[in-house]
């Protein structure tokens, strides 16, 4: 942990205040230690030579399953069917309460 900054309980308290997260004095100390250790691990990772390592975008080997975006007219409602149970309609459209106020 020579190159890593030491996180203080005061810094933890400041971050907790910004995030509106209540923390006890004991939690501040534990979190300060944990954050400091985490930064030390990140420092170690930064020392690893990855120049010859290819970029990894995905590691599971899974592929997205897609289908053609085709309309099946057998499953479509006519406009009349779609509006059949509407409580309010006008000129072939649903009528709903206004949600945007006018100035």
């Amino acid at each position: 942990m020579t190159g890593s900054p030491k996180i203080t309980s005061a810094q933890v308290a400041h971050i907790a205040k910004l995030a509106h997260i209540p923390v006890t004095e004991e939690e501040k100390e534990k979190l300060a230690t944990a954050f400091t250790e985490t930064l030390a691990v990140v420092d170690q990772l930064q020392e690893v030579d990855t120049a010859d390592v290819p970029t990894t975008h995905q590691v599971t080997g899974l592929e997205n399953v897609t289908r053609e975006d085709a309309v099946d007219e057998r499953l479509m409602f006519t406009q009349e069917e779609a509006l059949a149970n509407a409580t309010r309609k006008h000129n072939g459209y649903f009528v709903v309460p206004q949600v945007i106020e006018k100035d």
Side-chain angles (χ1 to χ4, degrees):
M1 290 193 321
T2 56
S4 300
K6 177 164 177 15
I7 303 300
T8 66
S9 60
Q11 290 171 312
V12 172
H14 179 68
I15 293 168
K17 181 180 177 184
L18 293 174
H20 301 284
I21 299 172
V23 290
T24 66
E25 289 301 320
E26 183 181 336
E27 290 171 324
K28 289 177 196 175
E29 291 298 326
K30 286 183 180 179
L31 288 168
T33 301
F35 289 153
T36 300
E37 290 173 1
T38 300
L39 291 175
V41 171
V42 170
D43 281 349
Q44 287 178 346
L45 291 173
Q46 289 178 344
E47 294 173 8
V48 176
D49 180 15
T50 59
D52 296 328
V53 178
T55 304
T56 304
H57 299 284
Q58 191 269 73
V59 296
T60 64
L62 299 176
E63 294 183 21
N64 194 11
V65 177
T66 58
R67 63 170 173 79
E68 182 182 344
D69 190 14
V71 175
D72 185 348
E73 292 188 17
R74 297 173 298 140
L75 302 175
M76 292 175 52
F77 288 123
T78 64
Q79 188 169 10
E80 293 78 25
E81 290 170 328
L83 292 168
N85 293 319
T87 55
R88 293 180 61 207
K89 51 192 166 193
H90 177 72
N91 292 335
Y93 295 97
F94 292 99
V95 177
V96 296
Q98 179 177 337
V99 294
I100 300 175
E101 294 180 14
K102 294 182 181 177
D103 290 330

